[in-house]
Amino acid sequence: MSQTKLPKVKDIMNLKGKRVVLRLDFNVPIKNGKIVETMRIDRAMPTVEYLIKKKARIIILSHIGKDASSSLKPIVRYLSKTINVGFVPDFRTEEAHAVVDGLAEGGVVVFENLRLDEREEENNPEFAKYLASFGDVYVNDAFAVSHRSHASVVGITKFLPSYIGFLIEDEIKHLSLALKPKHPFLFILGGAKFETKMPLMKKFLKIADHVFVGGILANDFFKDKGLETGKSVVDKHSINLTPLLKNGKIILPSDVVVRTGLDKKSVSKKVADVLPTDNIVDVGPDTIQNLVPLLKKMKLIVWNGPLGFYEEGFDKGTIALLKAIAGTRATSIIGGGNTAVIVDKIGLGEKLSFVSTGGGATLDYLADGKLPGIDAIIKCKKRRVSLE
Ligand code: 3PG
């Protein structure tokens, strides 16, 4: 997908007074009503600020959580620290239209969680048309949900001239480096979800020079090699992974951190020493040390998915590897929501070339080189009509 072909927010003429339906991804982790991590919101702000500066009237759409039960209210509170912003608790009412009609130039309103209405995820055309009725143009800057064919991501582009925002532009610019990589190129794959990671593994075994595997995926390899994995989480899969090791590109951890069955203490040990009572929860320190000389030789490093059970505090391997990568000259691209949370926690973002805001979207983009939400913008016929 070429950058130049993508219609961008800067291509929209005469924004003053125009109603812009802006799809963002504010799906951030919330605990006890507080936002845990704001990267996705912060990275969307350049487009919001640009539209405010151009005196557009901005209607922000987003989902949060998996269903209707989560609210965007905490995000609106966070936004209101830096911009003037209104909130519509139910976008299916007359009030929503009244609020939009009353928006001043440069005004911003956020509609409540789109998944309040199940037609959003069904990509229902009537619902897409309804959302479009609030705007004159549509801008998608929700990279992280652009792998979903939902009404506010794909359907809406049938009804409004459609463009991408600055965040999507930035994501494509950096992630596309992994599709035509500089060599030597190391791909790092962690996390769980065998089914979603396997296409990535296969793709990058063809184009990368080395593939380092951590997380639950590494347990799958250990198991297929006949090694003891004890009580560790192993995905149920039907294919045998050992033939993938033949071309010598795959690097597996040499040591791991295990929680022992009896006292739940964690210790690091060689992979060959794992006992039936052990539970593998992270990669070990030797594994990271052994990777350092290789990291130094790389021109490109792309990483998706944490190496350990970071949710339970086993993030030392991931942090050590992030720090080692930050000390190299390689172009480094870090993807996957969970890995990004760890980068943010240790404040390493500046030292890495790029941290993607996407989870599943980043995986799909890396695997296929395209996303439904971005394809829909390219194919939008309304824009051509409006330019004629
Ligand atoms: C994400 O967090 O990956 C996106 O916001 C998409 O969310 P979803 O997986 O619930 O569609």
Side-chain angles (χ1 to χ4, degrees):
M1 186 189 308
S2 142
Q3 272 282 321
T4 46
K5 271 194 215 149
L6 283 168
K8 304 182 179 78
V9 63
K10 278 206 166 165
D11 300 333
I12 310 173
M13 296 295 147
N14 310 321
L15 272 167
K16 192 170 181 302
K18 255 191 194 142
R19 294 171 307 154
V20 179
V21 174
L22 174 61
R23 177 58 159 108
L24 299 178
D25 189 327
F26 286 157
N27 186 21
V28 294
I30 310 257
K31 237 186 203 164
N32 303 325
K34 288 222 166 94
I35 304 172
V36 177
E37 203 269 320
T38 61
M39 180 182 81
R40 274 190 185 170
I41 310 173
D42 301 337
R43 294 265 296 273
M45 289 317 282
T47 300
V48 177
E49 279 153 12
Y50 173 80
L51 291 170
I52 294 175
K53 208 170 110 205
K54 293 284 176 187
K55 297 200 175 344
R57 294 149 69 207
I58 305 142
I59 300 99
I60 297 180
L61 308 181
S62 178
H63 70 287
I64 186 161
K66 294 277 165 212
D67 51 40
S69 61
S70 308
S71 172
L72 286 165
K73 278 184 202 151
I75 283 84
V76 176
R77 278 197 294 275
Y78 177 75
L79 289 175
S80 61
K81 290 182 191 162
T82 49
I83 58 170
N84 269 330
V85 55
F87 178 62
V88 170
D90 192 339
F91 47 81
R92 298 164 298 188
T93 57
E94 278 303 308
E95 189 211 344
H97 277 285
V99 170
V100 171
D101 289 345
L103 260 186
E105 290 182 353
V108 184
V109 63
V110 176
F111 283 4
E112 182 57 291
N113 185 4
L114 285 169
R115 292 185 185 173
L116 265 179
D117 196 310
E118 55 196 24
R119 293 174 299 169
E120 161 67 359
E121 289 176 79
E122 293 163 8
N123 194 18
N124 177 295
E126 281 305 312
F127 185 59
K129 194 172 174 186
Y130 175 72
L131 294 175
S133 71
F134 289 96
D136 304 305
V137 288
Y138 167 72
V139 174
N140 180 4
D141 214 14
F143 177 79
V145 75
S146 291
H147 59 316
R148 304 278 187 223
S149 292
H150 291 175
S152 69
V153 179
V154 170
I156 193 167
T157 61
K158 292 222 163 33
F159 303 101
L160 287 176
S162 303
Y163 302 81
I164 58 158
F166 297 120
L167 172 58
I168 291 197
E169 195 180 338
D170 201 36
E171 291 274 2
I172 301 289
K173 180 173 136 200
H174 287 93
L175 294 179
S176 57
L177 293 179
L179 307 174
K180 286 190 197 130
K182 285 186 282 180
H183 293 273
F185 168 27
L186 168 68
F187 184 63
I188 301 170
L189 193 56
K193 295 190 200 152
F194 184 84
E195 300 299 334
T196 47
K197 302 273 165 137
M198 210 49 209
L200 269 192
M201 163 92 76
K202 287 200 170 143
K203 171 163 183 153
F204 283 97
L205 272 174
K206 285 191 202 126
I207 60 177
D209 302 288
H210 308 277
V211 176
F212 173 67
V213 182
I216 294 173
L217 288 176
N219 298 349
D220 293 323
F221 275 98
F222 297 149
K223 180 124 194 161
D224 286 358
K225 280 176 80 177
L227 289 162
E228 180 62 72
T229 51
K231 299 196 178 310
S232 316
V233 181
V234 180
D235 264 310
K236 287 191 184 71
H237 57 267
S238 46
I239 35 169
N240 182 358
L241 297 177
T242 41
L244 292 179
L245 297 168
K246 273 198 194 124
N247 68 9
K249 284 188 175 181
I250 293 182
I251 306 165
L252 293 173
S254 55
D255 64 337
V256 286
V257 176
V258 300
R259 252 198 319 214
T260 58
L262 299 174
D263 48 14
K264 298 269 179 206
K265 264 204 287 195
S266 63
V267 288
S268 54
K269 55 169 68 175
K270 296 263 162 254
V271 172
D273 296 338
V274 171
L275 299 172
T277 46
D278 287 340
N279 180 2
I280 301 172
V281 287
D282 201 356
V283 301
D286 292 350
T287 298
I288 306 297
Q289 273 313 310
N290 296 342
L291 278 175
V292 171
L294 183 80
L295 297 176
K296 289 196 172 140
K297 288 188 205 144
M298 294 301 110
K299 286 225 170 89
L300 175 67
I301 300 171
V302 178
W303 179 352
N304 193 285
L307 305 180
F309 271 103
Y310 82 101
E311 303 94 327
E312 294 188 29
F314 295 100
D315 56 8
K316 280 207 180 108
T318 303
I319 291 175
L321 187 52
L322 281 170
K323 285 186 176 161
I325 292 173
T328 69
R329 290 168 160 211
T331 300
S332 49
I333 299 173
I334 314 295
N338 299 337
T339 326
V341 171
I342 300 175
V343 171
D344 197 57
K345 180 175 148 190
I346 55 173
L348 261 189
E350 300 284 296
K351 297 222 167 96
L352 301 160
S353 314
F354 186 70
V355 181
S356 175
T357 56
T362 308
L363 289 175
D364 286 3
Y365 184 76
L366 289 176
D368 306 330
K370 56 184 188 164
L371 292 173
I374 298 173
D375 276 359
I377 303 273
I378 296 170
K379 289 181 190 145
C380 170
K381 293 201 174 84
K382 286 283 169 189
R383 189 184 50 249
R384 275 187 227 130
V385 170
S386 77
L387 289 176
E388 275 159 13

